[in-house]
Amino acid sequence: MPENASEVTAAGIARLAGVGRAAVSNWRRRHADFPKPVGGTDTSPAFALSEVESWLRAQGKLAEVPLRERVWQRAESHPVGTAAALRQAGAVCLLVRERPAGAPELEGAAAEDAVRELFERHFGGRFALGTPLDAELLRGAAGLAAGMGPRQAYEFLLGRYLDANPRQYTLTPPAPAELMAALAGPARTVLDPACGTGTLLRAVEAPHEVYGQEADPDLAALAALRLALHADPAAVVRVAGGDSLRADAFPGLAADAVLCHPPFNERNWGHEELAYDPRWEYGFPARTESELAWVQHCLARVREGGTVVLLMPPAAASRRSGRRIRADLLRRGTLRAVVALPAGAAPPYGIPLHLWVLRRPDGGTAASPHLLLVDTAGAQDTAPGGEKVPWQTVRATVLDAWQSFDRHGTTEERPGVSRALKVIDLLDDDVDLAPARHLPPPAAGGGAAELVGVRDRLALTLLRTAELAPAPAGAAEPARWPLTTVGELARAGALVLRAGGTGGARPGEGPAVLTEHDVLGGGAPSGTLPEVPTAEEPVLTREGDVVVPVLGRGPAARVVDAATAGAALGRNLHLLRPDPAALDPWFLAGFLRGTANNRQASSYASTATRLDVRRLQVPRLPLSEQRRYGERFRTMAAFEEALRLAGQLGEQLVQGLYDGLTDGTVRPE
């Protein structure tokens, strides 16, 4: 094998053939002519991509390797490393954007010279392009950029790289990034001193100058390419590598806005060597207060009157070691708002993070006597279909409160949600800025009248559950039906089997996504298509489809109704589309939920159980008999939904009564 030949793992082979990893393992065992490993390890072998392609094509399992997969496999197995290969691919994407008519046809030395010249012109020696340049990778990236668009092609490759290294980087999701950019407002010059892949800077609308710094050199180079592709060609884009606290790349910058998601809980942030740094205008941070060091660094790089928005851990609002700095930020009117986000907004996902909004004093404006406190944790209770974070609700709540406060210096108090609190009331021994500790509790369930309505709805729902409760049945011997499997039904054409994925259209243009959580919780489609469009089309549901989760959360199957039809099928879901002339969907869904059926079709691993949908069994029954069973299963599904609603209403009523009795809005009588 030549040194730079592309290699592919078992997971990559599964992607190429559109099958699961288990199928690739079976092929290796059953076919003596399956390509032999050329690298990797015993537990994760690597195979020559060309040999794998030939074998799959000979077996009729592959018509053609998609270009995007070919380019990604080339980059993933490149001898200079994946990150360096993506720098080369990103440079080609930039070349295609600048020279759309000529770049794809460039060959040999001309292509390499053009890529080197462009990389040097854009990044001026701040990052290495990586050598040797790979002619095949350059050609493939040019073709991909010409087909998908330069920005989309690079986003696809970068997304694959980040997905393959989920624990290596802490990234800011797009939704909180967009909220932070909206809080900062319009800005001609914007900085992110811990920019990661540049998500926060991308969220700012049409800046003229973009500055970023990232400690990880590989990530800094990838962010620089991403931002160069995203920004207007006339905009200035400067991204540097290095630690912003120890080696600030932009010491003279006075940006209009600074956005930052700093690293949390760092002890080795430079406490000793930076003791007399002029940036500590509000106090020298303790060793345990690295986040307050980042706050002051951001303030030092924003112009007077400019806005700083940081994503912060909740402990930074209340740790005693930081109380003096927090107090000075309040006294001088610099800290303007603290916003508590719901848990799951950004990594680490188990913690309800905070947003801090600050404004550098301009000397001519009096310090604000109020601090805005917003708590959006309650928005999670209204999330549709069990959505983890209802971002539309969170965004509207935060921006409504902030814009009113920013214009008038105060805002209408919303119990449990938002309040403009006098700074003097916060300057005690703790200077605790956690919003939940200062907001008045919301009215219990909307008040006593609202609780009466909840009770009435609960009573009606309980009546409905009693009507739908299955009648007791006498004992019977287990049935001895002839059985078939989902796989056999698919081969016979009685149903179509499709797997969910991440294919999609541009953000905002595609359908909602039916997620695994929606299926298990009985909710409406709550997911969204990925931010980066791909060449893959999403699998869209139709009325009468049966959707099955495959990650072993217990037996589950859902029949798609008219309200859910048209949603895209999410990850870890399989769709079964029965032929109505051969299979009743409710009959199919009901038997797929059998505990014994799921047990025999599951594979057990050390960490999770995965369902092999093809192995699920269904009785061979006439269509008329299927419909008889299907009607019973349909009634049971309605009973299950009524029980779920009754549980939700019961919890709401009980908590509302507790809250009302304890805050005095409901009397014991």
Side-chain angles (χ1 to χ4, degrees), residues 45 148 155 161 182 185 197 210 213 217 284 294 342 365 390 426 430 439 447 449 460 619 640 658 666:
M148 295 179 68
E155 290 287 346
Y161 175 69
T197 58
V210 176
Q213 187 166 352
F284 180 41
W294 283 98
T365 304
L426 293 165
D430 294 322
L439 293 174
L460 290 173
E640 182 179 36
Y658 272 112
V666 174

Side-chain angles (χ1 to χ4, degrees), residues 342-578:
Y349 288 104
I351 301 174
L353 301 179
H354 288 178
L355 292 177
W356 285 25
V357 184
L358 306 102
R359 186 159 289 157
R360 185 174 178 83
D362 61 8
T365 304
S368 172
H370 292 88
L371 175 73
L372 176 65
L373 298 173
V374 183
D375 188 356
T376 62
Q380 212 150 16
D381 299 334
T382 64
E387 182 184 358
K388 288 183 179 178
V389 178
W391 276 111
Q392 288 186 343
T393 303
V394 170
R395 180 185 173 91
T397 300
V398 174
L399 292 183
D400 285 350
W402 167 249
Q403 289 165 1
S404 173
F405 179 79
D406 196 31
R407 283 194 301 266
H408 308 298
T410 186
T411 187
E412 180 183 356
E413 183 174 303
R414 295 179 59 191
V417 177
S418 61
R419 178 186 186 187
L421 192 65
K422 289 183 178 179
V423 166
I424 193 67
D425 293 336
L426 293 165
L427 296 175
D428 55 16
D429 288 342
D430 294 322
V431 196
D432 190 332
L433 307 182
R437 293 175 183 164
H438 301 286
L439 293 174
E450 179 67 20
L451 291 179
V452 172
V454 173
R455 185 193 61 185
D456 292 344
R457 288 180 61 201
L458 176 59
L460 290 173
T461 305
L462 291 173
L463 286 174
R464 176 67 173 158
T465 59
E467 294 170 0
L468 293 171
E477 291 294 323
R480 295 288 186 266
W481 293 303
L483 299 173
T484 186
T485 65
V486 167
E488 290 170 348
L489 290 170
R491 286 191 291 272
L495 60 80
V496 175
L497 181 62
R498 301 287 301 277
T502 58
R506 296 181 186 277
E509 297 179 1
V513 175
L514 184 68
T515 68
E516 180 185 16
H517 194 97
D518 301 332
V519 174
L520 295 171
S526 63
T528 57
L529 289 170
E531 180 188 15
V532 181
T534 72
E536 303 171 9
E537 290 294 325
V539 178
L540 301 182
T541 59
R542 298 179 189 169
E543 189 172 0
D545 289 346
V546 178
V547 179
V548 181
V550 297
L551 278 188
R553 305 283 178 84
R558 174 170 170 177
V559 178
V560 175
D561 57 14
T564 308
L569 193 68
R571 288 179 179 272
N572 301 320
L573 294 175
H574 273 60
L575 178 146
L576 289 71
R577 181 165 292 155

Side-chain angles (χ1 to χ4, degrees), residues 56-356:
L56 291 173
R57 194 172 289 111
Q59 295 289 325
K61 303 180 186 300
L62 178 69
E64 187 57 52
V65 179
L67 177 61
R68 62 183 183 278
E69 295 295 341
R70 190 187 302 275
V71 175
W72 165 244
Q73 295 296 346
R74 190 79 182 179
E76 186 181 34
S77 58
H78 205 285
V80 300
T82 307
L86 290 186
R87 290 200 288 273
Q88 297 181 17
V92 172
C93 291
L94 270 176
L95 188 64
V96 172
R97 190 182 75 165
E98 294 186 2
R99 300 162 56 179
E105 288 75 30
L106 287 172
E107 295 286 345
E112 295 185 10
D113 290 345
V115 169
R116 286 195 182 93
E117 185 275 329
L118 176 140
F119 199 84
E120 176 64 26
R121 174 160 47 87
H122 274 274
F123 307 114
R126 292 191 299 275
F127 306 110
L129 183 57
T131 55
L133 296 186
D134 185 335
E136 182 178 338
L137 177 64
L138 299 186
R139 283 195 302 273
L144 193 63
M148 295 179 68
R151 184 190 304 172
Q152 290 78 11
Y154 184 71
E155 290 287 346
F156 167 77
L157 295 172
L158 179 61
R160 277 289 178 84
Y161 175 69
L162 297 175
D163 286 345
N165 301 275
R167 297 182 180 179
Q168 188 171 347
Y169 306 117
T170 299
L171 307 176
T172 311
E178 291 168 3
L179 175 58
M180 292 171 70
L183 288 168
R188 290 177 56 87
T189 306
V190 62
L191 164 71
D192 182 351
C195 67
T197 58
T199 303
L200 288 174
L201 294 170
R202 285 179 68 239
V204 179
E205 187 174 350
H208 290 261
E209 297 179 28
V210 176
Y211 297 89
Q213 187 166 352
E214 169 55 43
D216 185 291
D218 285 336
L219 212 55
L222 298 178
L225 283 160
R226 187 186 198 191
L227 292 167
L229 283 162
H230 179 81
D232 185 278
V236 174
V237 177
R238 293 286 182 270
V239 178
D243 181 346
S244 290
L245 295 183
R246 287 188 172 94
D248 184 10
F250 309 107
L253 183 64
D256 295 326
V258 178
L259 306 178
C260 187
H261 177 181
F264 296 163
N265 302 319
E266 281 198 332
R267 297 300 178 96
N268 185 27
W269 58 268
H271 181 265
E272 290 82 3
E273 60 263 45
L274 299 175
Y276 300 101
D277 196 287
R279 288 172 292 182
W280 314 143
E281 186 178 347
Y282 297 87
F284 180 41
R287 184 189 302 275
T288 56
E289 295 290 351
S290 62
E291 296 86 7
L292 294 182
W294 283 98
V295 166
Q296 296 189 77
H297 171 75
C298 293
L299 286 168
R301 296 295 166 262
V302 71
R303 63 169 174 80
E304 290 187 352
T307 303
V308 173
V309 185
L310 294 101
L311 191 62
M312 300 281 279
S318 56
R319 281 190 298 244
R320 287 187 60 81
S321 53
R323 66 189 185 278
R324 288 191 177 89
I325 294 177
R326 292 195 299 271
D328 205 26
L329 289 169
L330 290 174
R331 288 191 191 98
R332 297 168 65 176
T334 305
L335 182 59
R336 304 299 308 281
V338 176
V339 177
L341 298 175
Y349 288 104
I351 301 174
L353 301 179
H354 288 178
L355 292 177
W356 285 25

Side-chain angles (χ1 to χ4, degrees), residues 624-643:
S624 59
E625 188 71 359
Q626 291 182 34
R627 288 171 178 160
R628 195 165 69 91
Y629 274 94
E631 190 56 37
R632 170 59 70 174
F633 287 134
R634 186 197 298 265
T635 304
M636 290 169 59
F639 175 60
E640 182 179 36
E641 179 59 29
L643 286 175

